Amino acid sequence: MFKCIAMLFLASISLGAPAADDARVKALLKQADDYRLAISSGRVETEVRSFKGGTLDKTRLYAVYLKPGRRSLVLFRTASERGQKMLMLGDDYWLMMPASQRPLRITAMQKLLGEASTGDIATMTWSEDYEGTVSGEETIDGETCLKLDLLGQRKGVSYPRIVLYLAKKDRHPVQAELYVASDKLAKLARFRMGEVDGRRQVTVMTLVDHLQKERSTEVHYLSRTDKTLSDDYFNPAFLVRADLTQ
Amino acid sequence: MKLPVPESPYRQRRLLGSVVLLLIGLASVQAMAAEDAPASFGWTTRVIAESRDARPGSAFAAGLPLTGFGRDRYRIEQELRGRAGPVSLLLTATESGQEGSKPAGRFVAHEAFADLDIGGERFSVGKKVLSADVAYGFRPIDVLQRESRLQLAPPPLEGIPMLSWDNFSTDGAWSLVIANPGHQRRGAAREDGSVALKLYRREGMADIHGVLRHSRRFGVELGGAISVVPGEALELHASLLQQRRGERMVPQPDAAGGAQLLNADAAIVLEALANPRRALIGGTWTTEAGYSLLGEVWWDGTAPDAADWQRLRRQSVQRAAMLGLPGVPAAAVAGASAASLRLFDQGNLLRRGALLRLGWSAPASGWSAALDLLGSLNDGGRTVTAAVAWQGERLRFDAGLRRYGGPGDSAFGQLPDRAAAFVGFSLAY
């Protein structure tokens, strides 16, 4: 009898372990997300600086509106891109070019090939899109980190696999290895922390391109506000309207 | 294929004045539609030079001095684009010149409209680009804007005077559009007064578009288009339009005698059509390495067919043969020959067309390139276009080459231009 109870106990532990691990990873990702975007809806002003061989090549400005349900609207604000908009609703994407004034449905691959990969600026959370395991601990720049092996749970994610390093002490993101669909390491992301409105937040994400070695990108989060838009703005047909200043 | 069309400065000024007055009034009533910063404008300067290589021994040679074919040209555009409160503007001042002609200046309000929210209902009023359809090379349901596609270095689109009532739900939208209010039938179909209902529905991986339009010229036009993204790299699309009435430009009948052949007004005639259709299917494949392949085939029941182009060829040869005959004024031959070239002045020249476009882009470096092959499945005519572009911080560079070819009696084989090249620079502030 005692033997049976012991076996049932062990079985329940072994069955429950993956679920407990999943929940732990989910919680870790949620904590990390809070350092990138602490609001569920809002507007993030972003400046993307592209470097070639260590020299500043281009600067791009974007306003990103985010809403729950993996909805984001990117307004291109640089002079040479003025009027462009990109809408992302889960795994579906639309691009509106000012010259044609038609919302065009685009594929995940076309989104990935966009200027500065708008997916990098429009997706600011991991917990909704990735699941995985904690595979160990490593020290990055003197910081003890938890190493998470993450797999995308949606077909439209920019990077189907991510190896994420979170600081063990407070779970802030330190580094991420971003892999494309062919499982090549595409970019290495580093996160710089700072004080924003009394909160510790990611202020700069640096992306070192591993496919084009001489290139790197800095994504500066200039401001985060809880300014929201009505649901109409997240309808592809609405993109032809000009209710938002570019 | 666009020939220069003279604009009426008086009409331009009157239209612009009306629109501006309307917008000022609306803006004063409703400055609150804006949901963020009150104003933002950008300025772009563009310089575009085109070189045209005339086809040697063209049967239209006598008429070419009266047209723009075979002439090098340039244009310098100053563009103001932006928004103040609910009012959006796209204005250009253009200086253009053509080999053998004096430079000319032109100011155009391409867009001047207000997006309004009145009592929870959304409206747009003014002059606005109303492009539609999911296709690239040919757009069957683009019944309002009627954009000429595949031009080599096109100027910005010019909007349509309009009033629309727009409604948006979670996965759909509809718009009731009154285009060119107060107009009946005008010279070009895009200038006709019309009422249209535009529908949009998102169904999973598919976008579905519908349009129902009524105008005096075409009666009822009913169309639909779909764009589907079945995978991460593949997009498929299709578009279909059914018109109650249609019309197409064709050369005058062959039975016409010599005098009729020299009648410039009769060189091209409009033929009425009952229930014509337009249809297109296509798709795009994009790779991780930055390459994309687009393929489209279409049917346009309102475009000239192979027999029409063959007839144009016969008549142009007959006119050329009349040059120098006793009693035949050279000016009459030239005028009729030039007038017959209006057959090229329409958005789509091909009854059955096919487009293959291989594109490449490397956004990090700013470079992109494309190779287009446009072919007629009716007459064997074709164009090959190679283009390259570079986008920097503010500066953009574009360049391209196009070659027209095919049998001598095909549309592209008898086009008076044999090749064209362009180079363009733009600087955005």
Side-chain angles (χ1 to χ4, degrees), chain A residues 58-60 82 94 100 102 105 107 109-110 113 155 180 182 215 227 232-233 235-236 241-243 245, chain B residues 35-37 40 83 88 115 122 131 133 139 166 169 172 200 204 207 232 286 288 363-364 391-393:
Chain A
K58 287 179 203 168
T59 302
R60 296 274 186 259
R82 186 183 299 274
W94 291 262
S100 74
R102 296 177 310 138
R105 188 147 188 158
T107 63
M109 202 63 77
Q110 287 170 314
L113 294 174
K155 65 183 167 86
V180 288
S182 58
R215 297 203 171 266
K227 181 179 178 58
D232 286 359
Y233 286 80
N235 183 320
R241 288 181 62 92
D243 299 59
T245 298
Chain B
E35 297 214 19
D36 57 353
S40 171
R83 172 175 166 267
S88 296
D115 284 332
R122 297 190 185 272
S131 292
D133 213 325
R139 294 179 180 162
D166 308 316
S169 62
Y200 167 74
D207 277 8
E232 291 187 6
T286 308
E288 199 175 283
Q391 177 70 63
E393 175 83 33

Side-chain angles (χ1 to χ4, degrees), chain A residues 43 50 52 57-60 65 75 77-83 89 92 94 98-110 112-117 154-157 160 180-184 209 211-212 215 227-246, chain B residues 33-42 44 81-83 88 111 113 115-117 122-124 128-129 131-135 139 157 166 168-173 200 202 204-207 209 227 229 231-235 284 286-291 361-366 391-394 428-429:
Chain A
R43 171 182 163 133
S50 303
K52 185 180 178 185
D57 184 33
K58 287 179 203 168
T59 302
R60 296 274 186 259
Y65 288 88
L75 306 182
R77 307 194 66 177
T78 307
S80 60
E81 299 179 321
R82 186 183 299 274
L89 302 177
D92 302 320
W94 291 262
S100 74
Q101 291 290 337
R102 296 177 310 138
L104 276 178
R105 188 147 188 158
I106 60 171
T107 63
M109 202 63 77
Q110 287 170 314
L112 194 62
L113 294 174
E115 181 72 42
S117 186
R154 301 186 292 111
K155 65 183 167 86
V157 291
V180 288
S182 58
D183 209 35
K184 283 182 189 163
D209 200 317
L211 300 178
Q212 299 178 76
R215 297 203 171 266
K227 181 179 178 58
T228 59
L229 296 174
S230 65
D231 286 345
D232 286 359
Y233 286 80
F234 294 86
N235 183 320
F238 198 89
L239 295 177
V240 300
R241 288 181 62 92
D243 299 59
L244 290 169
T245 298
Q246 299 266 296
Chain B
E35 297 214 19
D36 57 353
S40 171
F41 284 93
T44 303
R81 180 192 292 270
R83 172 175 166 267
S88 296
E111 290 194 302
F113 65 91
D115 284 332
L116 308 166
D117 185 348
R122 297 190 185 272
F123 299 90
S124 292
K128 187 174 184 180
V129 170
S131 292
D133 213 325
V134 295
R139 294 179 180 162
L157 291 176
D166 308 316
F168 302 90
S169 62
T170 307
D171 292 316
Y200 167 74
R202 182 163 72 99
M205 65 175 77
D207 277 8
H209 302 262
S227 174
V229 177
E232 291 187 6
L234 182 65
E235 182 270 347
T284 308
T286 308
T287 73
E288 199 175 283
Y291 293 94
S361 70
S365 68
Q391 177 70 63
E393 175 83 33
R394 293 180 180 278
Y429 311 94

Side-chain angles (χ1 to χ4, degrees), chain B residues 173-218:
Chain B
W174 58 259
S175 292
L176 185 62
V177 183
I178 300 172
N180 295 304
H183 288 198
Q184 297 295 324
R185 180 178 173 140
R186 292 290 175 107
R190 72 187 298 275
E191 296 175 344
D192 289 351
S194 67
V195 179
L197 178 65
K198 295 168 67 180
L199 302 168
Y200 167 74
R201 180 83 192 159
R202 182 163 72 99
E203 287 290 344
M205 65 175 77
D207 277 8
I208 302 164
H209 302 262
V211 64
L212 179 66
R213 176 179 183 256
H214 183 269
S215 64
R216 180 165 286 191
R217 184 188 304 251
F218 297 127

Side-chain angles (χ1 to χ4, degrees), chain B residues 40-286:
Chain B
S40 171
F41 284 93
W43 187 274
T44 303
T45 298
R46 283 192 207 91
V47 180
I48 294 142
E50 285 183 61
S51 174
R52 306 283 182 104
D53 183 21
R55 188 179 298 282
S58 169
F60 299 99
L64 294 186
L66 303 176
T67 73
F69 285 107
R71 299 185 190 209
D72 297 343
R73 63 196 65 187
Y74 76 92
R75 66 177 195 271
I76 302 170
E77 292 172 357
Q78 305 292 343
E79 176 187 291
L80 177 72
R81 180 192 292 270
R83 172 175 166 267
V87 178
S88 296
L89 294 171
L90 172 57
L91 313 174
T92 65
T94 305
E95 182 196 298
S96 57
Q98 186 171 277
E99 193 180 0
S101 305
K102 286 183 180 174
R106 190 174 177 225
F107 172 78
V108 178
H110 294 263
E111 290 194 302
F113 65 91
D115 284 332
L116 308 166
D117 185 348
I118 301 172
E121 297 295 330
R122 297 190 185 272
F123 299 90
S124 292
V125 61
K127 188 179 179 186
K128 187 174 184 180
V129 170
L130 296 172
S131 292
D133 213 325
V134 295
Y136 180 80
F138 171 61
R139 294 179 180 162
I141 69 163
D142 186 23
V143 292
L144 292 167
Q145 187 65 34
R146 294 182 181 272
E147 177 185 345
S148 286
R149 297 294 302 154
L150 305 177
Q151 296 181 67
L152 197 57
L157 291 176
E158 187 169 346
I160 308 280
M162 53 78 75
L163 168 65
S164 75
W165 175 25
D166 308 316
N167 186 279
F168 302 90
S169 62
T170 307
D171 292 316
W174 58 259
S175 292
L176 185 62
V177 183
I178 300 172
N180 295 304
H183 288 198
Q184 297 295 324
R185 180 178 173 140
R186 292 290 175 107
R190 72 187 298 275
E191 296 175 344
D192 289 351
S194 67
V195 179
L197 178 65
K198 295 168 67 180
L199 302 168
Y200 167 74
R201 180 83 192 159
R202 182 163 72 99
E203 287 290 344
M205 65 175 77
D207 277 8
I208 302 164
H209 302 262
V211 64
L212 179 66
R213 176 179 183 256
H214 183 269
S215 64
R216 180 165 286 191
R217 184 188 304 251
F218 297 127
V220 172
E221 296 173 278
L222 177 63
I226 185 167
S227 174
V228 184
V229 177
E232 291 187 6
L234 182 65
E235 182 270 347
L236 301 170
H237 55 262
S239 186
L240 174 68
L241 180 75
Q242 174 73 60
Q243 294 177 300
R244 177 69 185 85
R245 294 190 295 273
E247 59 187 29
R248 65 192 191 109
M249 288 198 285
V250 292
Q252 62 184 252
D254 267 341
Q260 189 68 1
L261 269 179
L262 297 181
N263 181 355
D265 292 336
I268 299 296
V269 294
L270 269 183
E271 184 180 272
L273 302 168
N275 305 311
R277 291 190 186 94
R278 298 172 176 180
L280 175 143
I281 57 169
T284 308
W285 175 266
T286 308

Side-chain angles (χ1 to χ4, degrees), chain A residues 2-246:
Chain A
F2 176 76
K3 211 170 179 178
C4 286
I5 291 171
M7 284 184 72
L8 279 172
F9 178 71
L10 286 172
S12 68
I13 288 175
S14 62
L15 285 172
D21 202 33
D22 283 352
R24 185 187 173 211
V25 169
K26 212 70 174 169
L28 288 170
L29 292 179
K30 190 75 190 73
Q31 283 177 283
D33 285 345
D34 286 345
Y35 287 103
R36 299 175 77 201
L37 188 71
I39 46 178
S40 58
S41 295
R43 171 182 163 133
V44 181
E45 291 283 340
T46 305
E47 183 182 86
V48 176
R49 299 176 190 167
S50 303
F51 295 84
K52 185 180 178 185
T55 307
L56 183 63
D57 184 33
K58 287 179 203 168
T59 302
R60 296 274 186 259
L61 283 170
Y62 304 92
V64 184
Y65 288 88
L66 299 136
K67 285 203 101 171
R70 302 201 308 262
R71 291 180 289 175
S72 54
L73 172 65
V74 182
L75 306 182
F76 295 61
R77 307 194 66 177
T78 307
S80 60
E81 299 179 321
R82 186 183 299 274
Q84 286 185 45
K85 300 173 191 172
M86 180 176 280
L87 177 66
M88 306 188 198
L89 302 177
D91 294 335
D92 302 320
Y93 315 98
W94 291 262
L95 181 67
M96 216 280 297
M97 301 295 285
S100 74
Q101 291 290 337
R102 296 177 310 138
L104 276 178
R105 188 147 188 158
I106 60 171
T107 63
M109 202 63 77
Q110 287 170 314
K111 179 203 70 170
L112 194 62
L113 294 174
E115 181 72 42
S117 186
T118 34
D120 288 332
I121 56 168
T123 308
M124 294 192 63
T125 56
W126 290 301
S127 57
E128 280 188 297
D129 298 337
Y130 292 90
E131 289 180 3
T133 56
V134 179
S135 61
E137 290 186 9
E138 279 191 30
T139 302
I140 309 275
D141 293 341
E143 179 93 53
T144 307
C145 296
L146 298 173
K147 182 182 178 185
L148 280 67
D149 289 322
L150 305 175
L151 291 176
Q153 299 302 302
R154 301 186 292 111
K155 65 183 167 86
V157 291
S158 296
Y159 307 105
R161 185 163 84 88
I162 292 178
V163 178
L164 177 64
Y165 298 87
L166 302 181
K168 191 176 179 183
K169 63 178 182 197
D170 64 359
R171 316 307 198 214
H172 78 259
V174 175
Q175 179 174 297
E177 296 161 9
L178 309 172
Y179 293 84
V180 288
S182 58
D183 209 35
K184 283 182 189 163
L185 174 61
K187 294 171 186 172
L188 183 70
R190 304 295 298 270
F191 301 90
R192 193 187 306 165
M193 305 298 291
E195 283 290 319
V196 180
D197 299 330
R199 282 180 60 95
R200 196 145 182 269
Q201 296 266 278
V202 173
T203 52
V204 182
M205 175 173 67
T206 303
L207 295 159
V208 179
D209 200 317
H210 271 241
L211 300 178
Q212 299 178 76
K213 298 282 185 192
E214 79 283 15
R215 297 203 171 266
S216 64
T217 305
E218 286 182 2
V219 180
H220 292 251
Y221 302 104
L222 303 179
S223 69
R224 297 169 172 91
T225 62
D226 58 2
K227 181 179 178 58
T228 59
L229 296 174
S230 65
D231 286 345
D232 286 359
Y233 286 80
F234 294 86
N235 183 320
F238 198 89
L239 295 177
V240 300
R241 288 181 62 92
D243 299 59
L244 290 169
T245 298
Q246 299 266 296

